[in-house]
Amino acid sequence: MTANDPQYADCVRGLNTRYIGTPESVRIVNCTDQVVQVVQEAVTYKKRLTVISSGHCYEDFIFNPDVKVVVDMTMMNNVYYDPAMNAFAIESGATMLEIYKTLYKQWGVTVPAGFCYSVAAGGHVAGGGWGPLVRVNGLVVDHLYAVEVVVVDANGTARAVVATREPNDPNRDLWWAHTGGGGGNFGVITRYWFKSPGATGSDPRTLLPRPPHDVLISAIAYNWSTLTQDQFTRLARNYASWHVANRAADNPNRVVTSYLLLNHQSNGQIGLITQVDATVPNAQTILDNYIAYMQSGVTATHVPLTNRMAEISPMPELVQARQLPWLEATRMLGTTNPPLNDPTYRAEYKSTFMRGNFPDNQIAAVYRHLTSTAISNPLAGVQFTPYGGQASAVDPAATAIPHRGAAFKMLWSAQWIDPAEDAKHIDWMRRGYADTYADTGGVPVPNDVTDGCYVNYPDGDLSDPNFNKSGTPWYTLYYKGNYARLLQAKRRWDPLNFFHHRQSIGTT
């Protein structure tokens, strides 16, 4: 379609409406052969091409003024068991909720993928695929068996390649590059296949993890008016110390998934949402012990979560934990996300992987950031999300995503609707991030406390020396020691650098 088509305006925008494209055409594809055809046409006529699967990219990597052709994968959304591969095929346009419903209702299995229901597999899996089951089942790429990618060779010829994790597969480096190398780097991903390592037999019900039948869900909050700086600091450090102490792959507390939502003071509340596998012995006690640990040294009383917190809607009914079926709980948490259906949504994001607890200067900076009067935005803050557990069982070089020693991660976010406020909110975010990591050049370099950044939360500032003064390049923050191997894969599979964006893997 082109700008003359009435649906064009709906196809040149993603979740973040700061980035709206003006490509010559949007090509909605239904099969791999069509993708090959579109890519070949773009190569032949030297037109810049990008790919969209769900539109959740946090930067302008898809809808950029230089882009002439956008390949829209949303109609390639099938999820099915493929007997030829003895694995589950998931096309790149399939969204998380579609994936969970299909796998669970038909076969009783799942993949440990993302939280938001409308995120699609395409870019999510390629970037390492973190989700609520990470501590029990690892990352989604830990179960990736194969990937189908439309690539362009040195002669400018487009073709589809299937790469598996089998040790003798000559294309295995292309599979590895899609286990955390990020989207838009090597080609157009059309399909993934999933089968857990060590899975045997041909019964689909045994090829992937089974999620818990039921989970306990708790949602509590602390009113900002009851929190001093010392109380705020204790709450944040309690979260950090618990996750550092419980990050081992065999730790019995890996059944706990918890999110600490540190909103800007103008929100009025800070939130704590926790999920525990209800099928394990003493599940309620495990949840109670976790809440008690979080409460340790915090004199403020927790209350119902009554305020919207960025991507989370109010959940006052969960102040007393409730037991829910896993799929229903996953649907509820994933769809109570107002920005996903807001056509005015504008946002800025940054990320941090954490290995250790907060030094005084870092947590003090976070507090200043969240109590700053430079903005009054209830939808701005820092979310702490769990890591470790089974994710730590995998060698950092076994997949392209290297942050296997992280205990938790942080998503820095600000959301607003008025374009006139862009500069104010972006400046607030930049200042807070730079202040927090002032001792390491304004970014969370890999060390004993921080461990770099998450490529699925891309941040263009990381490659700008005005903001990253650390001497650690953006690609080290994302990929650490795995970047050299990603470069080799790029040179082999995209030697013309046809697939590129502002922070893509280069060929030199």
Side-chain angles (χ1 to χ4, degrees), residues 53-351:
S53 56
S54 67
H56 278 255
C57 183
Y58 287 170
E59 285 285 2
D60 65 345
F61 298 166
I62 299 167
F63 295 117
N64 184 285
D66 296 333
V67 172
K68 303 304 180 185
V69 179
V70 174
V71 181
D72 188 315
M73 305 297 295
T74 54
M75 294 297 101
M76 289 187 65
N77 58 5
N78 293 308
V79 179
Y80 57 95
Y81 170 66
D82 182 351
M85 280 283 203
N86 191 31
F88 290 98
I90 297 177
E91 292 179 340
S92 63
T95 64
M96 295 298 104
L97 189 55
E98 291 171 332
I99 293 166
Y100 297 148
K101 285 169 59 178
T102 303
L103 291 179
Y104 190 62
K105 287 191 172 184
Q106 293 197 49
W107 297 284
V109 299
T110 193
V111 287
F115 179 89
C116 298
Y117 81 94
S118 60
V119 168
H124 175 72
V125 175
W130 165 93
L133 294 176
V134 61
R135 290 174 51 77
V136 175
N137 299 124
L139 302 175
V140 68
V141 292
D142 297 338
H143 304 268
L144 180 64
Y145 178 70
V147 60
E148 180 180 68
V149 190
V150 175
V151 299
V152 176
D153 66 19
N155 297 316
T157 301
R159 62 191 175 100
V161 177
V162 174
T164 74
R165 67 170 180 241
E166 296 294 341
N168 61 350
D169 187 339
N171 301 329
R172 192 178 189 276
D173 61 334
L174 186 62
W175 165 84
W176 183 88
H178 287 86
T179 62
N185 280 310
F186 305 97
V188 181
I189 304 157
T190 53
R191 192 167 28 165
Y192 295 105
W193 286 269
F194 290 91
K195 177 170 56 178
S196 296
T200 59
S202 57
D203 183 348
R205 296 170 299 178
T206 66
L207 299 179
L208 284 173
R210 287 184 171 271
H213 182 270
D214 291 292
V215 293
L216 288 170
I217 301 286
S218 163
I220 60 176
Y222 294 88
N223 289 327
W224 259 108
S225 60
T226 67
L227 290 173
T228 64
Q229 182 172 354
D230 287 344
Q231 296 281 290
F232 172 93
T233 299
R234 184 62 183 261
L235 193 62
R237 281 182 162 159
N238 284 352
Y239 185 96
S241 63
W242 188 94
H243 283 81
V244 169
N246 291 276
R247 75 174 136 201
D250 59 353
N251 188 283
N253 284 323
R254 66 186 180 278
V255 297
V256 176
T257 296
S258 182
Y259 313 86
L260 180 61
L261 312 174
L262 299 181
N263 307 297
H264 187 267
Q265 194 173 45
S266 57
N267 180 285
Q269 288 189 323
I270 282 171
L272 180 68
I273 298 174
T274 308
Q275 174 179 301
V276 174
D277 181 347
T279 67
V280 300
N282 303 311
Q284 184 65 54
T285 300
I286 292 173
L287 174 60
D288 292 343
N289 289 343
Y290 175 76
I291 300 294
Y293 188 98
M294 288 297 296
Q295 189 71 40
S296 176
V298 178
T299 58
T301 303
H302 60 75
V303 297
L305 195 158
T306 56
N307 298 354
R308 174 184 162 187
M309 300 187 176
E311 299 171 349
I312 302 296
S313 291
M315 299 179 183
E317 70 280 8
L318 297 179
V319 67
Q320 297 295 328
R322 296 180 60 182
Q323 184 166 325
L324 297 171
W326 170 79
L327 185 59
E328 290 303 311
T330 300
R331 189 203 316 269
M332 177 191 70
L333 292 176
T335 59
T336 60
N337 194 331
L340 301 186
N341 296 303
D342 185 349
T344 67
Y345 174 85
R346 304 175 76 80
E348 173 74 359
Y349 299 95
K350 295 183 180 296
S351 69

Side-chain angles (χ1 to χ4, degrees), residues 375 377 414-416 421-430:
I375 63 167
N377 184 352
Q415 302 166 13
W416 64 96
E421 295 187 348
D422 284 4
K424 176 174 68 174
H425 293 291
I426 293 169
D427 182 66
W428 172 82
M429 178 73 72
R430 285 172 168 167

